[in-house]
Amino acid sequence: MYRNDHKTTPAIWLLAFWTMGVTLGSLLVQPALAQDEEPAATETAAAPEAPVRDATLTELGLELEAARLKSALGDRSAAETLAQSLRTVDAPKGSEAAVHLLWGHVYNELGEYDEAAAAFDKARRKAGDEDLETVAEFRRIEALEAVGQDDEAAKLWLKWLGSNEDHALAADARLHMAWNRIRRGEVTTAAGDLANLERNHGWITTDTRSRLATAPASSLLGRDGEAIAVVTATGAADPGLIYVKGLAHRDQDDNLKAAAAFQEVSDRFPHSTLHDHALLAKANTFLTSGAYRSAAEEFGRVTGRATNPDVIAEARLRQAASVFMTGDLPAADALLRGVAADHPTDDVGARAQFLLGEAAVQAGDYQGAVLEYNRVLSSYFDHGVAASAQYRLGRCFDALDRPYDATSAYQAVVSGYPLEPEAPAAAYLAGAGLL
């Protein structure tokens, strides 16, 4: 949920680009800013080289800042242009660490976090200055988190803090550590980290990044009122905080306020990664409140406005479920078959196929339901709904007065899915069938 996109302080930029004022393109012939490129072998007829750009590292750093602003709006063109520039300029001797550091930031803006981590590691190893080495390692750990390596990053944050507890970035590192723990399910520990962070670094209490961690930690611990209070006190126009407020209202069964918060995220922040999820969450408030017709309409709007394919797939499934709950079984059947056909292997398709069985049961067509549940077991046997489908198969056989088949189905639940919630009831019914 969280990635540290805050701007590097001027002091760190001065440290990272200590060669400011040196004009690039004046020393070397090959494009030395490209990562780890080897000079081409001498040939009798060398291809024309791209023009060498005359720029300083400071100028390129300023271009990176401009590219960051555009990237925040979803436009990576400036970052791509900067990457091309880096391949056509020459690096002053001795500036290798600064160059690698710059490449790492460019890769970050392009969303190429593996490459960013590698570039920051090269900057760390090339650094002749202890502080620059520390900054490069900090950025490398950030990049590792961005590619989902939270376990490795957690170890590295502890090591980094052990060596740099008084560093200017120590508070940021502790904030990263708290987020890391939240993502790994250590919410109670994370909440303690955040409380200590606020005690030892009072300034961070007004930082949106801290609020972004404190609010969801409170919500995940069931302290929804506290989460809402944190967001309200901050007064920040941040999509993440507003979204967390919506989740807290939802968990308090206040669907009206939850829907308003989710709509605020989708309306005010169209470029946020939370935009599509907010659309889905708002539609879901109608489903959970039992307003099924309104829910079906809202989920239909999500499919038209969202761009995230996972969100669109979920919205289609929930739209079909909402129509099913209105009692319009033919319409629900058509929608569910469309979803199942488009998702033959994933969890969305599995749930759609299961609901086709439920629709058949609702219509009193138990033989048809047997066919639908069997399709779940043949095509989605390793998905979460498989145990439910096996159990419901037994209930259908009972309704069809086929006790032997029903008992076999219940036994399959007990033997195949012993830890699922259906297992105890299935064991009882299987035992009753054997009497």
Side-chain angles (χ1 to χ4, degrees):
M1 181 177 175
Y2 168 76
R3 182 168 69 85
N4 188 356
D5 286 325
H6 67 284
K7 300 294 182 290
T8 308
T9 62
I12 294 173
W13 275 113
L14 290 173
L15 174 67
F17 302 118
W18 69 86
T19 53
M20 64 170 59
V22 177
T23 301
L24 302 184
S26 61
L27 300 177
L28 303 174
V29 176
Q30 70 272 20
L33 284 186
Q35 289 280 293
D36 289 345
E37 289 185 3
E38 295 293 335
T42 304
E43 299 178 1
T44 53
E49 294 184 355
V52 176
R53 181 178 171 189
D54 189 27
T56 66
L57 289 174
T58 303
E59 289 170 344
L60 292 172
L62 292 174
E63 289 183 26
L64 173 62
E65 290 298 292
R68 280 177 162 176
L69 294 176
K70 288 189 175 182
S71 295
L73 299 176
D75 180 4
R76 290 178 173 173
S77 61
E80 292 167 354
T81 300
L82 179 55
Q84 291 298 323
S85 295
L86 284 172
R87 294 186 178 97
T88 59
V89 295
D90 293 334
K93 186 176 181 180
S95 65
E96 291 86 356
V99 168
H100 289 307
L101 193 68
L102 181 56
W103 265 111
H105 285 293
V106 172
Y107 282 132
N108 264 343
E109 296 309 311
L110 293 174
E112 300 174 11
Y113 302 115
D114 282 320
E115 290 81 357
F120 289 132
D121 189 47
K122 291 170 187 173
R124 177 184 64 82
R125 288 186 280 108
K126 293 283 187 180
D129 180 285
E130 182 179 349
D131 205 13
L132 180 59
E133 180 181 347
T134 300
V135 171
E137 177 64 1
F138 180 96
R139 297 302 183 192
R140 182 175 80 93
I141 304 171
E142 283 185 321
L144 291 175
E145 287 188 317
V147 294
Q149 297 185 30
D150 280 333
D151 290 338
E152 177 65 15
K155 298 174 185 176
L156 292 173
W157 282 130
L158 290 174
K159 182 179 179 181
W160 191 96
L161 283 166
S163 303
N164 304 283
E165 60 180 355
D166 296 322
H167 194 276
L169 289 173
D172 296 76
R174 291 186 175 94
L175 185 56
H176 271 293
M177 190 69 234
W179 264 115
N180 188 297
R181 284 177 166 146
I182 290 173
R183 288 193 299 271
R184 291 186 295 116
E186 300 175 6
V187 183
T188 301
T189 305
D193 289 344
L194 291 166
N196 289 332
L197 183 61
E198 292 188 1
R199 278 195 297 270
N200 297 323
H201 303 274
W203 59 267
I204 210 165
T205 59
T206 59
D207 192 307
T208 301
R209 294 172 298 136
S210 175
R211 303 296 89 192
L212 273 170
T214 302
S218 298
S219 181
L220 288 169
L221 291 172
R223 304 198 292 254
D224 297 309
E226 180 180 313
I228 294 169
V230 168
V231 177
T232 302
T234 302
D238 183 275
L241 286 173
I242 299 170
Y243 189 87
V244 169
K245 182 170 71 172
L247 293 176
H249 283 307
R250 180 203 65 185
D251 292 343
Q252 289 183 328
D253 294 324
D254 193 339
N255 287 314
L256 187 61
K257 289 183 179 179
F262 294 136
Q263 182 167 343
E264 183 178 358
V265 173
S266 62
D267 287 350
R268 291 182 59 192
F269 306 97
H271 300 291
S272 170
T273 55
L274 288 172
H275 172 266
D276 290 0
H277 297 282
L279 289 173
L280 184 67
K282 181 201 170 185
N284 207 55
T285 61
F286 291 92
L287 179 59
T288 56
S289 64
Y292 301 122
R293 294 187 187 281
S294 296
E297 293 173 359
E298 286 293 324
F299 285 123
R301 293 190 185 98
V302 174
T303 63
R305 294 180 59 189
T307 57
N308 184 315
D310 293 335
V311 170
I312 293 171
E314 189 66 31
R316 289 181 62 199
L317 175 62
R318 296 191 187 198
Q319 180 186 31
S322 299
V323 172
F324 169 75
M325 294 302 294
T326 67
D328 190 348
L329 299 183
D333 184 89
L335 291 171
L336 289 168
R337 291 191 188 283
V339 174
D342 291 341
H343 298 272
T345 60
D346 62 25
D347 186 65
V348 170
R351 287 182 287 148
Q353 185 60 53
F354 178 81
L355 287 175
L356 282 168
E358 294 293 285
V361 169
Q362 191 71 19
D365 180 9
Y366 296 107
Q367 189 59 53
V370 167
L371 294 174
E372 302 299 351
Y373 290 134
N374 271 323
R375 289 192 181 106
V376 174
L377 297 173
S378 61
S379 300
Y380 306 98
F381 61 90
D382 57 345
H383 289 266
V385 295
S388 297
Q390 185 68 62
Y391 179 79
R392 296 291 282 165
L393 195 60
R395 301 300 289 162
C396 288
F397 285 135
D398 274 336
L400 292 168
D401 196 22
R402 294 166 57 180
Y404 178 79
D405 290 330
T407 299
S408 295
Y410 295 138
Q411 288 176 325
V413 175
V414 176
S415 60
Y417 310 97
L419 301 180
E420 296 298 323
E422 294 84 0
Y428 172 80
L429 291 170
L434 292 172
L435 293 178

